[in-house]
Amino acid sequence: MPVSLDAPRAARPSLTVLAGPTAVGKGTVSTYVRDHYPQVWLSVSATTRDPRPGEVDGTHYFFVSDEEFDAMARDGQLLEWAVVHNSHRYGTLRSTVERALERGLSVLLEIDLQGARQIRNTMPEANFVFLAPPSWDEMVARLVGRGTETAAEQRVRLETAKLELAAEPEFDHTVINDRVERAAAELVQLMGVDPEPAS
């Protein structure tokens, strides 16, 4: 089910960008926010990769073909886009984010580091939050444990993660993803939203 623009309005609407290294749990934290904090509007990215088990088109991502993504990029429909891990492309639909902000909603945008840097250039007033792992060993265990990549893909992602971790000083805030519920509460508090989840 697509994310609704009819979510309750927040007191201080803004755009918050959540980024961090691969396998740190950005998707897990943002999903928890979507499910427990209706006052936050979670932007849904477009991607050229295939859905993972349990992912739903229009809820987790808009899954599009390479040709469709080419058209979006060419026509200026993407606020940012990037090639991730030298394979698939991800991008943020400009229209959905702008409409949500115009409606006074607090928007959470979960993207990769390349995309965050593009947003920093185009919308420097946004709030930038870096999601960090409790430790390097914990991040490696999460990546290997989820079993969604081959061994070769895991090696590429871990090499990328080392570079991504070094980007932490570029962000306004850092949230440690030690427990999903706690990290989500800290994130929404940084957004200026009541950190108490909806019942």
Side-chain angles (χ1 to χ4, degrees):
M1 176 178 179
V3 178
S4 172
L5 286 180
D6 295 324
R9 287 185 173 84
R12 293 187 297 161
S14 63
L15 172 63
T16 296
V17 175
L18 179 68
T22 185
V24 75
K26 297 185 298 294
T28 303
V29 170
S30 62
T31 296
Y32 188 90
V33 170
R34 183 189 66 219
D35 293 343
H36 294 85
Y37 297 92
Q39 61 272 51
V40 174
W41 186 80
L42 182 63
S43 176
V44 179
S45 298
T47 181
T48 58
R49 74 161 170 79
D50 293 330
R52 292 176 182 150
E55 289 182 332
V56 178
D57 184 51
T59 297
H60 300 96
Y61 291 95
F62 293 111
F63 297 99
V64 300
S65 66
D66 282 308
E67 293 75 18
E68 289 172 316
F69 199 98
D70 288 340
M72 290 177 179
R74 183 183 63 245
D75 297 340
Q77 296 178 34
L78 300 176
L79 190 59
E80 58 79 31
W81 70 270
V83 178
V84 180
H85 307 301
N86 298 316
S87 55
H88 303 295
R89 291 178 289 174
Y90 293 76
T92 301
L93 295 168
R94 179 185 298 274
S95 60
T96 57
V97 171
E98 290 180 345
R99 279 169 49 212
L101 290 172
E102 287 168 2
R103 289 176 61 85
L105 303 176
S106 280
V107 176
L108 177 61
L109 178 56
E110 177 227 322
I111 53 177
D112 74 299
L113 182 59
Q114 299 173 68
R117 286 170 171 159
Q118 290 180 52
I119 299 292
R120 174 72 82 180
N121 289 330
T122 58
M123 301 183 75
E125 70 278 11
N127 186 25
F128 292 84
V129 179
F130 188 86
L131 190 66
S135 68
W136 173 258
D137 289 343
E138 176 66 22
M139 191 168 66
V140 172
R142 289 178 185 176
L143 176 61
V144 174
R146 68 187 186 184
T148 55
E149 294 88 13
T150 66
E153 288 172 332
Q154 289 173 1
R155 285 193 296 272
V156 171
R157 285 179 178 264
L158 289 173
E159 286 302 312
T160 302
K162 292 177 183 177
L163 299 175
E164 292 169 333
L165 282 168
E168 182 181 348
E170 300 176 26
F171 288 74
D172 301 319
H173 308 281
T174 296
V175 171
I176 304 296
N177 187 19
D178 47 2
R179 287 190 305 108
V180 171
E181 309 85 43
R182 192 210 61 76
E186 184 177 353
L187 173 61
V188 297
Q189 191 168 27
L190 289 170
M191 296 178 69
V193 172
D194 184 354
E196 287 299 318
S199 58

